[in-house]
C-alpha cells in the first residue's frame, strides 16, 4: 500500500488543511506514514509568515532531495509536494530552487491533489490558482479524528496589515455558508469529536450565508454549533479586535459550551505603531474591548500576539507595549521579531529597527509575558478543572488533556478515558504543562 506523509508548519489553518490533504490522499488509497522516510508522497505544508518559517522549507527540501535520489537508485518512486503559503507566494521560485519538487499547490486548490500527482508523472506541476469552485465541496469525509478538531469557517483576509503576507497568500476574505459549517460540525460530532475549534484568519469577521441567504455572525454560528449533540466544547481563533461585536461578547456570558479562552492579537501597545501597522484601532480601544470581554466572562484566559521592532518603533513605543502587557496581564502570548516580508508595504520602509535592538526588546517582552504566564499556571495548583482527555500522556499510564482555559494537563488515567471530560485536581505546575490527579468519582464513573 502506498503511503503519504504531510508535514505542516504555521497556523491552525494550515493544520486543518494538512488533515484535509491526508483525507484527500486517504480516499485515493494512501495510508498515513509516520515519517517522510516511510512515505511515497511527501507533502510540506508551508508557512510564509516570517522569513525563518519560509527558509525552513528550502532546507527541508534539500534533505528530501537526497532521500528521493537514494530511493530512485533503488528503483522506487517518491513524489515531493510543496503546499501552503510558501507555495502560493513563491511557486515559481520553489521550482527554480529545488528541481526535486514534483508538485506545487496553493491553499485553495489542494482538493485537486490526486489529479496534480497524476499529471506530475509527465512533468512538474504548479497550481496556485484561486479556483472558482469551492475546495470544501470537493473534499472527502474526514478521517483519523481525535476528541478535538479544527473546523475552517472563514479564510483569507482583507485587512492588509502593513507587515503581513496573509492577504496575498490566502486571498480575500471568504466565509463558508452556515449550513456547510454545521454539517461538517455534526459529522465531526458523529465521529466522536467532543471539542471543535472554529478557525479563520479573522474568524470573527465570519459572515457566512444563513438558510435565508442573510449573513450569519460568528456568535450566531457558535449558538448553532452549541446545539449539536455531543459537542461539549467550542473554541474559535483567530479574532481581530475590530470585528468583535457585542453579540460575540455576550456569547461568552451565555453559551456554556463556549470555552473561556480568547486569542486576540494586539501586536503593539503604541498608538503610533498600531496606526503605522494599519491595525485601525488604538491601545485604549483594545483595553476597553478586553474590559467588556472580562465583564462577560471574568475567568476568561487571554492570549495575544506581539511584534517587536516594527519599522520606526522607538524605545517609547516599545515602553507603551510593556505598559499594555502589564495593564492587561495576558495568560499566554506569542511574540516575534518583525520580519520584513517581500511584497508587504512595511518591508520597503527606510526606518527598519536593527536586529540587536529587536533581540533586546523581544527578550524583555518575553520576560514580562513569561512571568505572568508562570504565575497563572501556578495559580491553577489545587484547583479542580474539567479536562478533555485528548491523547496518551508522555509516560505509560498517563493521559494528556486540556482545561477549559486551554492549559495542558498530564495525569494518570486508563487510556479508555481518551475522549472523555473528567474532573482533575491540579497538583503541580510544571514549566510547560500542569500535572494533576483524576478525582475518584470520575474514575468510578
Ligand atoms: N490573522 C491573525 C494573525 C495572523 S499571523 C491576526 O490578524 O491577528 C500570526 C501572527 O504572526 C500575527 O498576529 C503577528 O503577530 C505575526 N506576524 C505576522 N506577520 C509578521 C511579520 N512580518 N513579522 C513578524 N511577525 C509577524
Ligand atoms: Fe495578517 Fe492583519 Fe490579516 Fe491578521 S488581520 S491576517 S495580521 S493582514
Ligand atoms: Fe503561515 Fe499561511 Fe498560516 S503564512 S501563519 S500558514 S495563513
Amino acid at each position: 500500500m502506498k503511503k503519504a506523509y504531510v508535514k505542516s508548519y504555521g497556523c491552525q489553518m494550515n493544520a486543518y488543511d494538512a488533515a484535509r490533504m491526508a483525507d484527500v490522499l486517504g480516499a485515493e488509497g494512501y495510508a498515513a506514514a509516520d515519517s517522510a522516510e516511510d512515505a511515497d508522497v511527501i507533502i510540506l505544508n508551508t508557512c510564509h509568515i516570517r522569513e525563518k518559517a519560509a527558509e525552513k522549507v528550502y532546507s527541508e527540501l534539500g534533505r528530501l532531495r537526497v532521500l528521493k535520489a537514494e530511493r530512485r537508485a533503488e528503483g522506487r518512486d517518491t513524489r515531493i509536494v510543496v503546499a501552503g503559503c510558501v507555495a502560493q507566494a513563491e511557486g515559481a521560485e520553489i521550482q527554480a530552487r529545488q528541481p526535486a519538487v514534483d508538485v506545487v499547490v496553493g491553499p485553495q486548490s489542494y482538493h485537486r491533489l490526486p489529479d496534480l500527482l497524476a499529471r506530475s508523472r509527465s512533468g512538474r506541476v504548479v497550481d496556485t490558482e484561486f479556483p472558482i469552485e469551492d475546495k470544501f465541496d470537493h473534499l472527502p469525509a474526514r478521517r483519523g479524528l481525535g476528541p478535538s478538531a479544527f473546523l475552517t469557517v472563514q479564510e483569507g483576509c482583507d485587512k492588509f496589515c502593513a507587515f503581513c503576507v496573509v492577504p496575498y497568500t490566502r486571498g480575500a476574505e471568504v466565509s463558508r455558508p452556515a449550513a456547510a459549517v454545521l454539517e461538517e460540525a455534526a459529522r465531526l460530532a458523529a465521529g466522536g469529536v467532543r471539542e471543535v475549534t472554529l478557525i479563520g484568519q479573522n474568524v470573527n469577521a465570519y459572515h457566512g450565508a444563513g438558510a435565508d441567504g442573510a449573513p450569519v455572525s460568528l456568535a450566531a454560528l457558535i449558538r448553532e454549533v452549541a446545539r449539536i449533540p455531543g459537542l461539549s466544547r467550542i473554541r474559535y481563533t483567530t479574532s481581530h479586535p475590530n470585528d468583535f461585536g457585542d453579540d460575540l461578547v455576550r456569547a461568552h456570558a451565555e453559551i456554556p459550551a463556549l470555552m473561556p479562552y480568547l486569542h486576540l492579537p494586539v501586536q503593539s501597545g503604541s498608538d503610533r505603531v498600531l496606526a503605522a501597522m494599519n491595525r485601525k484601532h488604538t491601545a485604549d480601544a483594545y483595553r476597553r474591548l478586553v474590559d467588556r470581554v472580562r465583564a462577560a466572562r471574568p475567568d476568561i484566559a487571554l492570549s495575544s500576539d506581539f511584534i517587536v521592532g516594527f519599522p520606526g518603533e522607538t524605545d517609547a513605543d516599545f515602553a507603551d507595549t510593556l505598559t499594555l502587557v502589564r495593564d492587561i496581564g495576558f495568560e499566554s502570548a506569542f511574540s516575534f521579531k518583525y520580519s520584513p516580508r517581500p511584497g508587504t508595504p512595511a518591508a520597503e520602509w527606510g526606518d527598519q529597527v536593527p536586529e540587536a535592538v529587536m533581540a533586546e526588546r523581544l527578550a524583555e517582552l518575553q520576560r514580562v509575558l513569561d512571568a505572568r504566564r508562570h504565575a497563572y499556571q501556578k495559580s491553577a495548583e489545587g484547583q479542580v478543572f474539567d479536562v478533555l482527555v485528548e491523547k496518551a500522556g508522555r509516560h505509560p499510564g498517563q493521559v494528556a488533556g486540556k482545561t477549559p482555559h486551554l492549559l495542558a494537563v498530564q495525569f494518570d488515567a486508563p487510556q479508555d478515558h481518551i475522549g472523555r471530560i473528567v474532573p482533575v485536581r491540579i497538583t503541580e505546575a510544571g514549566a510547560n504543562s500542569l500535572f494533576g490527579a483524576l478525582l475518584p468519582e470520575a474514575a468510578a464513573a
Side-chain angles (χ1 to χ4, degrees), residues 10-11 14 46-49 85 165-166 169-170 201:
C11 64
N14 253 19
T46 59
C47 174
H48 200 240
I49 202 85
C85 290
V165 293
V166 170
T169 63
R170 292 275 172 169
Q201 261 92 23

Side-chain angles (χ1 to χ4, degrees), residues 22-358:
D23 295 339
V24 169
L25 293 182
E28 295 287 307
Y30 285 88
D34 296 327
S35 68
E37 281 65 25
D38 197 27
D40 305 282
V41 172
I42 303 164
I43 303 180
L44 301 183
N45 194 31
T46 59
C47 174
H48 200 240
I49 202 85
R50 284 169 291 275
E51 191 181 352
K52 247 194 210 150
E55 281 306 312
K56 233 186 252 169
V57 178
Y58 291 101
S59 56
E60 185 70 15
L61 283 175
R63 200 176 69 81
L64 294 180
R65 182 185 64 84
V66 177
L67 182 74
K68 183 173 174 172
E70 284 169 4
R71 292 227 191 120
R72 184 175 296 133
E74 297 163 7
R76 193 173 151 202
D77 182 50
T78 312
R79 302 273 112 178
I80 299 178
V81 179
V82 179
C85 290
V86 180
Q88 188 63 44
E90 304 183 350
E93 191 185 337
I94 293 170
Q95 293 235 307
R97 273 176 73 172
Q98 189 42 270
V101 173
D102 299 288
V103 175
V104 172
V105 59
Q108 302 308 342
S109 34
Y110 62 76
H111 56 290
R112 297 171 175 170
L113 261 174
D115 175 47
L116 298 173
L117 282 169
R119 277 168 46 203
S120 75
R121 313 227 158 259
S122 48
R124 307 164 71 199
V125 189
V126 183
D127 184 349
T128 50
E129 268 177 61
F130 289 116
I132 318 253
E133 81 266 13
D134 182 352
K135 72 178 175 225
F136 294 106
D137 293 339
H138 298 267
L139 293 171
R142 293 182 66 170
R143 305 163 181 241
L145 293 166
S148 179
F150 290 135
L151 201 179
T152 294
V153 304
Q154 180 275 340
E155 274 197 274
C157 182
D158 296 336
K159 297 237 177 334
F160 292 94
C161 298
F163 51 80
C164 183
V165 293
V166 170
Y168 313 99
T169 63
R170 292 275 172 169
E173 213 176 282
V174 179
S175 297
R176 295 176 69 189
V181 172
L182 294 171
E183 198 186 300
E184 190 172 335
R187 280 215 220 102
L188 292 175
V193 169
R194 303 294 310 276
E195 173 180 273
V196 64
T197 303
L198 307 178
I199 58 175
Q201 261 92 23
N202 281 302
V203 72
N204 55 340
Y206 177 81
H207 60 276
D212 56 0
V216 172
S217 70
L218 180 66
L221 185 71
I222 291 170
R223 279 178 208 279
E224 292 297 317
V225 173
R227 289 205 186 94
I228 297 172
L231 288 183
S232 312
R233 292 181 161 196
I234 303 168
R235 303 180 185 277
Y236 62 92
T237 202
T238 295
S239 22
H240 191 289
N242 290 357
D243 293 312
F244 220 100
D246 276 331
D247 59 343
L248 189 53
V249 174
R250 270 199 312 279
H252 278 283
E254 295 169 359
I255 304 174
L258 184 57
M259 291 291 104
Y261 180 92
L262 174 61
H263 182 61
L264 191 63
V266 63
Q267 317 297 356
S268 168
S270 152
D271 287 347
R272 230 178 49 81
V273 172
L274 286 169
M277 285 176 165
N278 195 29
R279 293 291 290 185
K280 298 200 171 85
H281 65 80
T282 61
D284 276 347
Y286 186 87
R287 286 182 175 88
R288 284 195 298 275
L289 173 56
V290 167
D291 287 345
R292 278 161 57 216
V293 173
R294 281 186 168 152
R297 184 75 207 233
D299 69 329
I300 200 158
L302 263 188
S303 153
S304 201
D305 291 342
F306 296 90
I307 295 176
V308 300
F310 185 73
E313 185 188 69
T314 62
D315 285 340
D317 292 321
F318 177 63
D320 286 346
T321 297
L322 291 178
T323 303
L324 179 87
V325 166
R326 292 201 175 95
D327 287 352
I328 300 226
F330 294 94
E331 278 71 31
S332 72
F334 302 89
S335 44
F336 314 99
K337 282 187 248 177
Y338 168 71
S339 170
R341 305 304 292 129
T344 61
E348 310 295 321
W349 296 347
D351 43 0
Q352 304 285 324
V353 174
E355 169 66 30
V357 175
M358 286 205 269

Side-chain angles (χ1 to χ4, degrees), residues 395-411:
H395 303 293
Q398 271 191 344
V399 293
K402 303 260 170 57
T403 70
H405 307 90
L406 212 62
L407 292 168
V409 190
Q410 306 265 333
F411 58 102

